[in-house]
Amino acid sequence: MKAAGIIVEYNPFHNGHLYHLQKTKEITGADVVVAVMSGNFIQRGEPAIVNKWARTKMALLNGVDVVFELPFAYACNSAEVFAYGAISILNSLGVNWVVFGSEAGDISLLKKIAMHLAFEEDEFKKYLKIYLKEGHSFPKARELALKRVSKEDIEFLPNNILGVEYIKWILRTNSKIEPLTIKRVGSLYNDPNLGSGSFCSATAIRQNINNLELIRDKMPPFSYQVLMEEIESGRGPVSLNDFFEFFLYRAIVYKDFLKEQFDVKEGLENRFYKHIFSSSSLEDLLSKVKTKRYTLTRLQRILIHCLVDSKVNQKTLLSTKPYIRVLGFNSRGKRYLNSIKEKVKYITKLDSYIMKNPEYNSLLELEIRASQIHALKYKEYHKYLQLEFKQHPIYIPSRE
Amino acid sequence: MKAAGIIVEYNPFHNGHLYHLQKTKEITGADVVVAVMSGNFIQRGEPAIVNKWARTKMALLNGVDVVFELPFAYACNSAEVFAYGAISILNSLGVNWVVFGSEAGDISLLKKIAMHLAFEEDEFKKYLKIYLKEGHSFPKARELALKRVSKEDIEFLPNNILGVEYIKWILRTNSKIEPLTIKRVGSLYNDPNLGSGSFCSATAIRQNINNLELIRDKMPPFSYQVLMEEIESGRGPVSLNDFFEFFLYRAIVYKDFLKEQFDVKEGLENRFYKHIFSSSSLEDLLSKVKTKRYTLTRLQRILIHCLVDSKVNQKTLLSTKPYIRVLGFNSRGKRYLNSIKEKVKYITKLDSYIMKNPEYNSLLELEIRASQIHALKYKEYHKYLQLEFKQHPIYIPSRE
């Protein structure tokens, strides 16, 4: 079966995602669409508003055929590590295409830039360093360095950056996957405005989560329905602020709670220690700790990794092959999974046998911890602390 | 000045406490009444419903002259360690009497039993072991062993046990303090019923904390008023169940969260690990973990020490001299503090100088941690995380 891969977060699934999915089917003519999806924490360094099982349901009900998990350690990470994790999984699956939305919508432009990033990393890093030293913020310095190296004029918007990273890893891993891009419609990735049309960003939906009538038009009905069910059952909406108490608790009990944590370098620790007990909210704390180099998103990721006590190392992640875990599938997806089972070792249900497998266990342990922490914010949290072990993949028979 | 010492928790201050205080003044004719009071966690292994500053206010408004802190490590501990801490502080202060309530109300009986406990510990422990092996619960085995050694017939009720422990430490430390006891009036220490009279247990008040009209008659007006202020300001009532989420969080992040913790022995750990993620509440968890040997109160203390990550050792505590810290005083108390300042080194306000003093710092660090954790359950918790450093002793001029 010819498979098209997509890399998604669906936080939550909205009309823009549906457009991306339909276009993917249209331009590839694939037999099956396979999604690699973030779990309970997303790339921006936030908890997903509803958990991965609900978001898998949204994906399947809207026409995705199989959903695989992007492990926590990769999902809640820089664009580079996020992209590496997702492309690795699509490589293992052997999909034919990867189709992603980008602001540019021009695959040859993105490819050119990715080539420079893939094979001229030293030069890129040299300029990155120079621009950082000049006092530019990290995103700005990256943009300037890439422009300098590639001599291309492109706006380095979030989805362009991710797209370039996908292609970079396709090139670096000698992958046979063909990258395709669709121009994003409607608003920008993190535009907080809902606007009047039927498209808006997931950020805008999350920010209006308490005014459900407003967001109803922006989501396919199935997706809205799942979101409602989750909220009514007390399993959401989960937000980063909900975890401030736990972060404080950690800081109370462990004076050096940031030691050896993900992406924390000297100086940052001290700013955290200085302000942690005198900030009125997580937002207030982050605004005090923020610098040009440490953007809000990056700080949020640090905070989440600290909460999970992940102690992951980006270099190690970039030389590890993530596990392949099925979160859900429809009838077509079932046939696809059958067709690949000889050559791909995928996990359908966690058990003690799998947990003991040294190939998977450190990434899976983090995944479980992250999910348990996410669950602590559900109303009846005690029911969901073992969900990762109890839950079977979601199966939704296709209406074919 | 002749001083009478009392050892209290005031959780919260009720009519029985007022009776004890008035009787103390009456039978000793002391110039000043000095209380040693538990801080934010109490001997039964529970958080205090309102914090130590509010309870200090209650004490002073009702006629206590000075309140000293019983450090967390001693307060939230067995009757033996609790009593050692309190008597040590009263010894350092050089008070003339200690006056405590007991169910027996007979000082010579309590003294006789304490003599056996103080000087025949080996024999007592031998029998304790035998009775435990026979399958008796710890309190029952202790009672049987003490009866066996002392040949006295006494009911080993909570305040009798504490009283015996006070006298034991007076004897063991060659203290000049004269112990006196008052027969407790009204209900038993942990009788959950409010009853119809004006006396009831603090437990009964805590259990009816959501029905304020019912408890109003059981407390002096000043005490009730302070309690109301605290509740209205969102600083209470704090209960053990409130900390279940933090306990779960700890268990999620640290698989061996009970390792090396206070009073945890092999076997207990495994029962906790087995049930932690499948219990519907803290109560449910404790009921599953409970054994004859590990009573509910003891398990609750373990849980709190684990939350605070205290890793205290009872033997070390029994060979350490607790610091002397003033929580509050009235005009008479002020004169008393002046009169002892040449011979007693007491702390009135925490600062970095004091925190660096190796004589105090480990106990004080635990105290601060415990207070911060208590504060996490106030409505505007971020305002109270540095309270221990900001707060001056409460001063209430006497109406003399």
Side-chain angles (χ1 to χ4, degrees), chain A residues 299-315:
Chain A
L299 287 175
Q300 290 182 171
R301 283 194 295 260
I302 287 174
L303 205 143
I304 288 170
H305 279 272
C306 172
L307 265 179
V308 175
D309 194 31
S310 78
K311 296 206 171 90
V312 291
N313 175 295
Q314 290 178 316
K315 273 190 190 145

Side-chain angles (χ1 to χ4, degrees), chain B residues 333-351:
Chain B
K334 199 174 172 185
R335 287 200 299 280
Y336 172 74
L337 287 171
N338 266 323
S339 76
I340 61 167
K341 75 177 174 200
E342 299 298 321
K343 61 179 180 47
V344 185
K345 248 198 321 196
Y346 53 79
I347 302 166
T348 49
K349 191 156 182 288
L350 300 188
D351 55 32

Side-chain angles (χ1 to χ4, degrees), chain B residues 326-338:
Chain B
V326 179
L327 295 179
F329 51 85
N330 62 16
S331 312
R332 198 183 295 119
K334 199 174 172 185
R335 287 200 299 280
Y336 172 74
L337 287 171
N338 266 323

Side-chain angles (χ1 to χ4, degrees), chain A residues 274-290:
Chain A
K274 189 175 167 193
H275 298 294
I276 179 102
F277 295 133
S278 57
S279 296
S280 63
S281 66
L282 199 54
E283 217 180 352
D284 182 34
L285 172 63
L286 293 178
S287 75
K288 285 170 179 162
V289 173
K290 204 179 146 187

